[in-house]
Amino acid sequence: MVDHPSNLLLAALTPKYRASLLARMRTVTLGPREILYEAVETPKYAHFLTTGVASILISMSNGASAEVGIWGREGLVESFHLLGGAKIPNRCIVQMESTALRMPFKELQKEFQESSELRDCVLQGVQSQSAILGQLAGCNRLHEADARLARWLLMVRDRTELDTFLLTQEFLAIMLGSRRTTVTAAAGALQRKGLIRYSRGRIHVCNPESLENVACECYGTVRELYASFYCGAPELDDNARPNFA
């Protein structure tokens, strides 16, 4: 197992404690739409993403779903489940092929209860993610589809450091909580402006700077929140920090 994982929460731990956790983890590849945890269920595993992106989804009784949060390599996907016995009403799915460091959830839960070092890092991540959940809830209610799509594409680009994604219209509609026709119109508007290319489920960000000008204000707010994860941790040097500039 690597000594300096690309997951930022693990990188923020002291070397000795980090090594003890890594020795109990294994690297896994996660496929698109793979479910990491279901609503109201206790997760079987804990995942520290090292590449890729996973989405926190809320689902309604009529089957409609919308994204309310997003995890990349900055933290622990199942962090909210560590806080207590409350049933978490959302689910988490993988957006695109990703990799993660995995360990049994109950083992990590015991570590969380016994280690103040791990607990402090997880709680800092939860605090930032909670603020992001609120921001995205307001965004989904108040902002137009093209601005939300621009914001979402930039968020994914920041976390993957890629300009091209394989995402269907159906999946984008779930992420944005919109109809497929709305997503088609929003993607078409961005494409006509030369900001993206979209064909057969492949999206290429052509001009991220101009795309940021189209995105709603929530992108800047979320970017700042993510940039503050584990700020000042001694083991997280400048090369390991996410670049959200």
Side-chain angles (χ1 to χ4, degrees):
M1 187 66 67
V2 295
D3 292 330
H4 298 283
S6 57
N7 181 275
L8 301 184
L9 189 156
L10 294 175
L13 300 173
T14 57
K16 182 178 180 180
Y17 183 60
R18 180 172 64 237
S20 71
L21 283 180
L22 290 174
R24 298 158 59 188
M25 297 181 184
R26 66 185 185 95
T27 301
V28 295
T29 299
L30 306 169
R33 301 199 180 191
E34 185 168 341
I35 298 172
L36 299 185
Y37 63 78
E38 286 282 11
V40 307
E41 293 183 1
T42 300
K44 184 177 180 180
Y45 295 105
H47 298 89
F48 296 86
L49 291 182
T50 51
T51 64
V53 178
S55 291
I56 303 171
L57 303 180
I58 191 73
S59 299
M60 301 301 171
S61 58
N62 64 358
S65 298
E67 181 186 77
V68 293
I70 185 171
W71 280 113
R73 67 186 187 97
E74 71 282 344
L76 167 66
V77 171
E78 294 81 6
S79 57
F80 284 93
H81 296 81
L82 293 176
L83 303 185
K87 300 295 185 182
I88 305 299
N90 50 51
R91 64 204 298 250
C92 187
I93 65 172
V94 178
Q95 287 185 14
M96 60 192 68
E97 185 169 299
S98 306
T99 58
L101 292 164
R102 170 191 279 177
M103 71 182 297
F105 177 78
K106 290 189 179 299
E107 288 187 24
L108 189 69
Q109 190 175 45
K110 186 173 184 292
E111 287 291 333
F112 177 78
Q113 294 167 351
E114 296 178 351
S115 169
S116 60
E117 181 180 352
L118 177 62
R119 189 162 56 248
D120 287 347
C121 279
V122 170
L123 290 177
Q124 184 177 352
V126 167
Q127 184 180 43
S128 295
Q129 186 65 266
S130 296
I132 290 167
L133 290 174
Q135 187 73 31
L136 296 187
C139 180
N140 289 337
R141 172 64 179 85
L142 300 172
H143 293 147
E144 297 297 327
D146 55 346
R148 289 190 287 120
L149 177 58
R151 180 263 299 164
W152 188 84
L153 291 174
L154 289 167
M155 287 173 61
V156 173
R157 180 179 181 271
D158 286 341
R159 284 149 190 79
T160 62
E161 299 181 352
L162 297 172
D163 288 325
T164 302
F165 326 117
L166 293 174
L167 296 166
T168 65
Q169 285 185 346
E170 179 185 4
F171 196 72
L172 284 172
I174 293 173
M175 296 305 98
L176 297 175
S178 302
R179 297 179 183 274
R180 289 180 61 179
T181 52
T182 302
V183 172
T184 300
L190 297 181
Q191 186 161 241
R192 287 191 294 274
K193 293 176 182 178
L195 305 181
I196 67 170
R197 290 197 303 270
Y198 185 36
S199 177
R200 297 182 179 180
R202 181 183 296 270
I203 297 178
H204 178 74
V205 177
C206 304
N207 192 329
E209 292 79 15
S210 296
L211 189 62
E212 185 171 349
N213 292 332
V214 173
C216 60
E217 64 194 84
C218 297
Y219 172 62
T221 301
V222 170
R223 180 178 60 185
E224 291 301 315
L225 286 166
Y226 269 96
S228 69
F229 272 40
Y230 321 114
C231 184
E235 296 302 317
L236 190 57
D237 62 27
D238 289 338
N239 292 328
R241 294 182 188 279
N243 180 10
F244 296 120

